[in-house]
Amino acid sequence: MIPVTAITRSLSGQAWRWRGGNMDFGQSGSARDGEEAIVTQLLLSRGVSPDDLERHRRPTLRDFLPDPSLFRDMDEAARRIADAIQRNEQITIYGDYDVDGATSAALLILLLRGLGVSAGHYIPDRLLEGYGPSGEALVRLAQQGSDLIVTVDCGAMAHEALEAAAQAGVDVIVVDHHKCPPELPRTVALVNPNRLDECDDAAAHGHLAAVGVAFLLAVAIVRELRGRGYFEGRKAPDLMGLLDLVALGTVADVAQLKGLNRALVAQGLKIMARRENIGLSALIDASRLSRAPTCSDLGFALGPRINAGGRVGEATLGVRLLTTQDPDEAREIAAQLSRLNEERRAIEQEVQEAAEAQIAAQHNRAVMVLAGRGWHPGVIGIVAGRIKEKTGKPSLVIALDADEAGMGKGSGRSIAGVDLGAAIIAAREAGLLVAGGGHAMACGLTIDPSRLNALADWLDERLARDVTGARGAQSLLLDLSLAPGGLRPSLVETLEAAGPFGIGWPGPRVAVGPVRLVKCDLVGADHVRMVAAGADGNSFKAIAFRAAQSEMGQTLLHGSRGRQFWLAGRAKIDDWGSRPAAELHVEDAAFAD
């Protein structure tokens, strides 16, 4: 019988390795006596030092929140907004059209509402205006009476637009998290942990989503106003009550769930469970969630619905939902976003199929650069993520205008160890792009179609070594292995105690076996459903999502008779029956005999 750590080539072609220490519970399958040890090992294997374990077992803001003044321009931003509040100036929040932008804008709007100020909002149309603040929009807001504009999740590279705003006489504060160029645009304040001139302690928080930066600004604003005696005779706003928005934006923007982000999300999920935000509560109902949302729900149920407004519908729907005080309006918007999300899925499938048809011609490329006319710009980021998962390489998906003279709009997703955002900024500086920026794992760009091949060649030369190194270091990392009898709901609860999990803080991966497949069939379009049984007399359900056409899926479906396997994946709770049971969401499999 092949032990789990002797697997050098699984059905997906990977070697299996321990992420940290060996947690092999063997054929006894029992992990019940080692619950605390399991959580400790999960924390250690995710980079926590032994003397810092207790702080990470239950991450709280008290233990992780930095002094907002640590960040450049934070105090200037807080003072200017406090001035605007006390002078009763007209404030407009200018947000991006994705979930991070919507939650960041909603957070500041709700904060200002709690401070007795009604702020307006402006969300650009993805198709008509593109990403980031435009000079035309900023000037128009100034002409309409805005005294102060705060951009969130955008603006760090909007030199021309912000110069136009300054010329129009309106103050602009930028709250962003995308990589910044050496020369910053003209603003009253630019708060961004990824400024090149940030101190090391502030730069350590570069993994924050924009909504996390906005929350730190909210803390700084309240502190500034408290110092001015603003709350004498009035109640200060409940900052903790805004953490449900921070959790949603952080997870949906695929920010790394380490350090402060993990504390923000852990506490935000508790706030979300209380359903105090009317719009979020309606969205949870529209998503058919009958329990408190988890991290996975934020990324796969709630986030995509808000994103659908900016991708294929009306860009302002997300902010309107998250700030409404009318339950009827909330239900109506949530239902509309759910309908738009279904429409988005259909469009996404069409673009994905067209993009996948181009992969074979680029098999030698380090970075997939796929482009097509008529592709909907609202889904290219999602498709880029799918292509990245399929190929294991950084991927750019570019929507070209039907008019050959028009520009292409692209979105990219990267793999761990390859900084795609920095490469795109360098490509823009090299004259290959009209515009472009992003962070390590994601980017956006505008390109002249005639430069597509030049961009592909340039990225190939710049990133080939990084991609080769990153892919060569890839293997399936396991946290523990056990027999089928050990796959119990109590184990799932123990594993979840080390969460919340996401990018940068990966969910525990369990190897279960050896097992024989009692049942294996196709469910839905391309999911492989299984019932696996072990020599210990125990059996469990398992499913491999979107795996039917892969080598692993085909082997499980058609080559499993008489063979024994190790199955590796995420242990989850199946609560469909009268009694909750544990099941396995399979990511990989290997022969055990």
Side-chain angles (χ1 to χ4, degrees):
M1 194 63 58
I2 301 173
V4 67
T5 52
I7 294 167
T8 58
R9 182 175 175 79
S10 67
L11 296 185
S12 66
Q14 299 183 87
W16 289 9
R17 301 282 185 266
W18 291 116
R19 192 188 307 275
N22 183 328
M23 285 204 290
D24 185 348
F25 289 95
Q27 288 307 297
S28 68
S30 176
R32 285 176 292 182
D33 296 332
E35 291 181 0
E36 184 174 348
I38 290 174
V39 174
T40 296
Q41 183 57 51
L42 292 176
L43 296 176
L44 291 172
S45 64
R46 281 149 183 78
V48 178
S49 61
D51 59 356
D52 202 20
L53 283 170
E54 293 311 309
R55 190 169 70 115
H56 287 267
R57 285 186 191 278
R58 296 172 185 82
T60 65
L61 292 192
R62 182 188 300 274
D63 289 334
F64 283 92
L65 193 72
D67 183 344
S69 296
L70 180 71
F71 299 85
R72 288 190 182 274
D73 283 4
M74 181 69 82
D75 291 338
E76 289 83 348
R79 283 193 291 267
R80 180 63 186 89
I81 294 173
D83 289 343
I85 291 169
Q86 292 187 307
R87 296 171 187 164
N88 199 30
E89 293 181 339
Q90 184 170 324
I91 304 173
T92 300
I93 310 300
Y94 192 117
D96 189 23
Y97 38 66
D98 68 359
V99 183
D100 193 17
T103 52
S104 300
L107 184 148
L108 290 182
I109 290 169
L110 292 176
L111 170 74
L112 292 169
R113 186 182 295 168
L115 293 169
V117 176
S118 179
H121 65 267
Y122 186 92
I123 309 295
D125 185 279
R126 178 189 290 264
L127 299 182
L128 300 179
E129 298 176 83
Y131 170 77
S134 70
E136 180 182 351
L138 294 177
V139 170
R140 185 166 62 250
L141 290 171
Q143 293 171 343
Q144 293 171 352
S146 291
D147 301 296
L148 175 63
I149 299 172
V150 183
T151 73
V152 288
D153 197 28
C154 59
M157 300 182 66
H159 291 78
E160 293 182 6
L162 295 174
E163 180 62 33
Q167 294 294 331
V170 63
D171 287 345
V172 179
I173 293 171
V174 170
V175 180
D176 205 351
H177 70 131
H178 296 97
K179 288 185 178 293
C180 290
E183 182 180 350
L184 298 175
R186 183 178 175 183
T187 63
V188 170
L190 195 156
V191 184
N192 185 337
N194 287 305
R195 287 176 56 153
L196 295 179
D197 59 349
E198 269 294 9
C199 67
D200 291 343
D201 288 342
H205 295 285
H207 60 288
L208 285 171
V211 71
V213 183
F215 181 77
L216 290 173
L217 176 59
V219 174
I221 293 168
V222 171
R223 184 175 62 184
E224 174 68 22
L225 288 170
R226 182 173 284 113
R228 299 184 184 192
Y230 186 80
F231 298 116
E232 293 178 7
R234 73 173 78 196
K235 184 179 179 181
D238 176 18
L239 292 175
M240 293 294 288
L242 299 172
L243 289 177
D244 49 5
L245 297 176
V246 181
L248 176 56
T250 299
V251 173
D253 210 52
V254 202
Q256 294 188 52
L257 293 192
K258 62 180 184 180
L260 176 56
N261 273 351
R262 186 162 165 261
L264 290 169
V265 173
Q267 299 306 314
L269 286 170
K270 295 177 183 177
I271 301 298
M272 194 177 296
R274 300 191 330 219
R275 290 192 170 218
E276 294 176 349
N277 184 295
I278 293 171
L280 266 179
S281 180
L283 193 66
I284 292 169
D285 289 339
S287 303
R288 298 184 178 88
L289 293 177
S290 57
R291 48 168 172 72
T294 64
C295 254
S296 178
D297 296 323
L298 305 191
F300 294 101
L302 306 183
R305 283 172 164 79
I306 292 180
N307 255 335
R311 293 184 186 282
V312 299
E314 182 185 338
T316 62
L317 288 174
V319 175
R320 287 171 51 202
L321 174 72
L322 298 175
T323 58
T324 185
Q325 295 175 299
D326 182 346
D328 291 334
E329 181 186 26
R331 283 190 292 270
E332 181 180 337
I333 296 176
Q336 185 177 356
L337 286 172
S338 289
R339 291 192 296 271
L340 289 170
N341 194 45
E342 291 301 317
E343 180 182 338
R344 185 268 307 168
R345 287 178 177 174
I347 296 171
E348 174 193 329
Q349 182 63 32
E350 182 179 343
V351 174
Q352 183 173 336
E353 290 175 357
E356 288 183 354
Q358 299 181 16
I359 291 176
Q362 296 198 28
H363 67 281
N364 290 323
R365 290 283 191 191
V367 178
M368 298 283 103
V369 180
L370 313 171
R373 297 199 180 280
W375 291 0
H376 198 297
V379 302
I380 54 177
I382 302 174
V383 174
R386 301 281 192 208
I387 299 297
K388 182 226 12 179
E389 294 297 328
K390 188 178 185 71
T391 63
K393 297 179 179 181
S395 299
L396 293 172
V397 176
I398 300 169
L400 304 177
D401 285 345
D403 180 0
E404 293 189 7
M407 294 292 105
K409 301 289 185 180
S411 188
R413 297 293 183 270
S414 194
I415 61 176
V418 180
D419 191 336
L420 188 57
I424 291 301
I425 291 173
R428 177 183 58 80
E429 293 173 348
L432 292 165
L433 300 172
V434 176
H439 49 81
M441 299 301 290
C443 70
L445 60 87
T446 303
I447 186 171
D448 184 321
S450 66
R451 304 292 284 168
L452 278 172
N453 289 334
L455 174 66
D457 292 340
W458 189 90
L459 289 172
D460 207 44
E461 182 177 351
R462 179 183 174 96
L463 295 179
R465 180 175 296 180
D466 290 346
V467 172
T468 299
R471 298 185 76 200
Q474 286 180 346
S475 57
L476 192 79
L477 300 180
L478 301 174
D479 289 287
L480 71 160
S481 66
L482 64 165
L487 190 63
R488 301 185 178 97
S490 59
L491 174 68
V492 180
E493 292 172 1
T494 297
L495 297 177
E496 290 299 322
F501 300 106
I503 297 296
W505 195 267
R509 186 176 288 117
V510 179
V512 187
V515 298
R516 297 185 186 278
L517 299 187
V518 177
K519 179 181 180 181
C520 186
D521 59 9
L522 194 64
V523 61
D526 57 353
H527 310 313
V528 179
R529 177 176 57 184
M530 294 157 273
V531 175
D536 62 356
N538 292 285
S539 63
F540 61 92
K541 294 179 181 178
I543 187 167
F545 293 105
R546 294 188 298 275
Q549 302 307 313
S550 67
E551 178 181 346
M552 178 187 76
Q554 288 296 302
T555 302
L556 293 173
L557 285 166
H558 306 297
S560 62
R561 185 181 298 274
R563 301 298 302 268
Q564 293 193 80
F565 294 91
W566 284 100
L567 300 179
R570 314 289 185 183
K572 300 291 184 180
I573 296 291
D574 174 13
D575 52 10
W576 277 93
S578 57
R579 293 175 54 190
E583 65 179 15
L584 191 68
H585 291 186
V586 176
E587 300 174 34
D588 201 359
F591 289 118
D593 54 14

